[in-house]
Amino acid sequence: MSDYDLIVLGAGPAGAAAAIKARSLGLSVAVIDEAPAAGGQVYRAPSPALTATQPDADREKGDALRAKLAASGAVLYANHRVWSLTSGFSVIAIGPDGPLTLEAPSLIVAAGAIERHIPVTGWTLPGVIGLAGATVLLKAHGVLPGRRVVVAGSGPLLLLVASKIVAAGGEVAAVVDAAPHTGWLARAGAMLARPDLMAKGAGWLLALLKARVPIHSGAAIRTIHGTDGVEAVTIGPVDRDWRPVGDAERTIAADAVCLGFGLLPATEVTRLLGAEHRYEPELGGWVPAVDASLQTSVPGLFVAGDGAGVRGADAAPLSGELAALGVISRLGRGGDLAREATKIATDWHRSSRFGAAMSALAMPPPGAAAMIAAETTVCRCEGLSRAKLDAAIAAGARTLADLKATTRCGMGPCGGRVCGEAAAMLIGAATGWDRATVGQPSARPPLRPVPLAAITGAFDYDNLPIPAPAPL
Amino acid sequence: MSALYDLAVIGGGILGSAAACRAAEGGMRTIVVEQQTLGSGASGVNAGTLSLQIKRVKLMPYAIKGHELWERAGERVGFHKTGGITLAFNQREAELLHERMALKREAGAPIELITPARVAELEPNLSRQVVAASWCAEDGYANASLSGAYYRTLLDTVGVDIRERTPVTAIDRSGGAFELATPTGTIRATRLLLACGAWLKAAGALLGLDLPVRARVNTVSVTERGPALVGTVIGHATGLLTLKQKPNGSVLIGGGWQGTGSPDEGRSWVDPTTLLPNLRLAMFAVPGLDRFRVVRSWTGFEANVPDFYPLAGAAPGIDNAFLLGCVRGGYTIGPYIGTLMGDLILGHEPELPLFDPGRFVTTAAAA
Amino acid sequence: MAGDLRIGSAWARTVSFRFDGELLTAREGETLAAALYAQGRRTLRMSRDDSGPRGAFCFMGVCQECVVSIDGRLTEACRTPVHNGLVVESVR
């Protein structure tokens, strides 16, 4: 017995658009998100405490999205963390009022992206935060990452975060971009497809230049210094393959670092459900294999937004609508939608070009593994250095599962979501295999750590369905 | 012309690796062919429990030998002899416990019954609702995750060739040798051992054997690291709970609750409807777990045949082919029974009898 | 690092909470991770492995670096709204 025609995981721009479209064509829809309100990371709702800061364009878009979703009649389960799923589909979550299980014949996963990290010595110090985390602090909480911040890594979030810090009155000590200047130029064609977004990026850049923020391209952090927190950052040049070169280092005083190397599609749900995936560097890495309606190899399982491949916030709603049409067609509801689907698909492909170009710009080349020093902590949860992981690889570990088995890398509470890409880069560096050959990590429940007490709830021992004991 | 091996082993788990090591020690030129990586199947994903209290009576002599081998492997496999307690929470379970442990004790396991008061002394954080319990000082655990790395070293030491990520797609016989077709070329050997766990049925079919092998899908969960709660291996009278806390503070919870999926589908899934009672049973036995978070649950295949005894011996009707698998308690017993298998292949009389696969009616379809 | 990192002053009601016994304030509705970070309490625990200080990193419930103990239960500070009287302990 299904609770809904469709469950949408994620209430960001893709998930919300999917839900609104599906509702408009008569489906019953539930949307589940772990945040307190819809909007996703990009249009994250400001904290209820943040009442009167300057509204910006993203805030307005988010408010419009929240209003439309609320008016659509889709049921939003906010503050619900999905920790397991089974085919068919059951979605198992924990919310403020305890466990929740919902069933539906169709599932659209609009889980967004997670940040790619390349570890650097000192990145475990308090005051080093993800670039994506910095956007949460700035947008949702109105909090600066620091007084004097180094913004480092690769991809468009560098300029976004740095410009937001400057706009909020903070100081950016340096922007450190591993990609060479020419990287941006090489993508200019795709960027010109969206002059509005290009202008947005140029606006960020202009703001940084006006504030006299030093921008170092073709450079990366070598060490973050500090005892109780960030005190200074040493940077140095990298070559076109992002290998540190030369000794032209400089040390910059700073009290915080925002660090990130682009976004990866969040594919845990599609991996858990056994969908096929393929490696698409232009889309941020491993993506679910889909047909034209964004249905995966698992019937009834659709994907939308950055989780289907990182294409950015402007493309996301179109993919959500496309997936919703796919769901409706599959359920045999809503008449002939082919023409509408074709039109949406055309728009989606056009608007995807910019985001995909940005995504590719952030993507580390294989040489980037050389940025990780032997003593650098790679797996933060288990405190494992590159040297330890390299030793396990030298002793025969060839997959992320092997590495986990022999070192516990990825076995801690983050489940490898922070260190997995770096671990894969190390296997690649040692074997010469490309990222596709190294393979994906396995996805297992719970998708995030879950308190045992929250799963088990109150129960009566005598009612436990204990099967017959094993043969004697 | 590719090299001719004396023995090809399909399956790089504990059983296949242990047999390969013994054969190589006996002078055979040996290769292990593994579809994924060494120890990536049941050998690597089981809960690592080494408990005589949950071993079958008839397999007890093998389990005792297995404990000795794991103890010898020691730190390399994360071996810990902690002792183990099996709990009964009601009268029915107490009767089951008394009956079963008496027979296991007769079979040679040093198991004794202990009082609930003694349980509370040994493990103050266990539930106070224990009505009966047993204790075995020989019990403990090892880290199954290290099986692959451990056997890789042993195989390297005795000169066994290892071919990983190499599925065998066909088996032919030509000129007195087996020819294993793989995506990266043909492997030739005069003897063949199938030791591929849950894939034994599929591999047997390549030889024309119809093996009555099925697979159970066992679930294991692990918590993040937390404060010390228990020091011994905790079990339940029905066998449906195994629980131990590793030195790093993480708690491993198993007990053979069934997930879904099959070897044919290529994978298995945790079933939330069986995970729930598994975790509830753990929480009932160790109430302090309410402060822990589960970080990962997973499943692994455990192959079996209808009588739940091993398949270990010559393949019926096929000269120079051997079968090894379906060992209940295979993690514990595997290193030992694999060695016995190596002896059999070398033409030696095994120290303890093996389990002739010929007891199942099988027909060599090709014959 | 001294001072408050909050931008502007247009905030809602102030609530108070305790972190390892110290009485601190937050704006109602703010997450615990943001409230602690904004007032310079960036070290939330010490690593079991290298004894180094650790603090919030991803602010979106992925990295688990900001886990604290509330009523004896491990909780992500970045997903916990602060309310008046909240008692928070660092994880040891």
Side-chain angles (χ1 to χ4, degrees), chain A residues 272 381 402 442 445 450 461 470, chain B residues 37 93 100 225 236 296-297:
Chain A
L272 180 65
C381 297
D402 286 348
S442 56
V450 190
Y461 180 78
Chain B
T37 58
E93 291 168 4
R100 296 193 146 213
R225 298 186 277 177
H236 186 258
R296 196 170 172 91
S297 299

Side-chain angles (χ1 to χ4, degrees), chain B residues 195-271:
Chain B
C196 44
W199 286 268
L200 204 48
K201 188 178 178 68
L206 297 179
L207 285 174
L209 294 172
D210 182 17
L211 301 171
V213 174
R214 297 166 305 186
R216 283 168 55 81
V217 181
N218 292 337
T219 306
V220 184
S221 300
V222 67
T223 71
E224 68 189 301
R225 298 186 277 177
L229 274 182
V230 291
T232 63
V233 173
I234 309 300
H236 186 258
T238 59
L240 285 152
L241 175 69
T242 66
L243 186 152
K244 79 276 289 178
Q245 187 169 27
K246 297 298 184 73
N248 72 0
S250 64
V251 178
L252 211 52
I253 300 167
W257 292 77
Q258 294 296 289
T260 57
S262 67
D264 292 345
E265 291 171 70
R267 63 163 294 185
S268 55
W269 283 271
V270 173
D271 179 351

Side-chain angles (χ1 to χ4, degrees), chain A residues 265-267 270 275-278 286-290 296 303 307-309:
Chain A
T267 56
T270 44
E276 286 169 23
H277 291 72
R278 55 200 168 80
W286 289 98
V287 295
V290 291
T296 68
V303 287

Side-chain angles (χ1 to χ4, degrees), chain A residues 130-131 134-135 138 144-145 149-152 155-176 203-209 211 213-215 258-259:
Chain A
L131 283 173
T135 68
L138 287 157
L144 283 168
V149 186
V150 169
V151 179
L157 279 183
L158 290 173
L159 294 187
L160 169 72
V161 167
S163 66
K164 280 208 175 290
I165 291 170
V166 168
E171 184 187 354
V172 175
V175 173
V176 185
W204 295 340
L205 195 55
L206 202 63
L208 296 179
L209 293 175
V213 171
I215 299 177
C258 303
L259 187 65

Side-chain angles (χ1 to χ4, degrees), chain A residues 287-332:
Chain A
V287 295
V290 291
D291 65 14
S293 70
L294 298 180
Q295 183 170 216
T296 68
S297 62
V298 176
L301 176 64
F302 294 73
V303 287
D306 281 354
V310 178
R311 296 172 172 93
D314 286 279
L318 293 164
S319 67
E321 292 184 2
L322 199 56
L325 292 184
V327 167
I328 290 157
S329 299
R330 182 172 174 274
L331 294 176

Side-chain angles (χ1 to χ4, degrees), chain A residues 62-85:
Chain A
D63 287 343
L65 173 151
R66 285 179 280 277
K68 275 174 84 176
L69 183 63
S72 74
V75 180
L76 174 63
Y77 294 88
N79 273 322
H80 277 77
R81 173 168 270 185
V82 173
W83 65 271
S84 191
L85 301 99

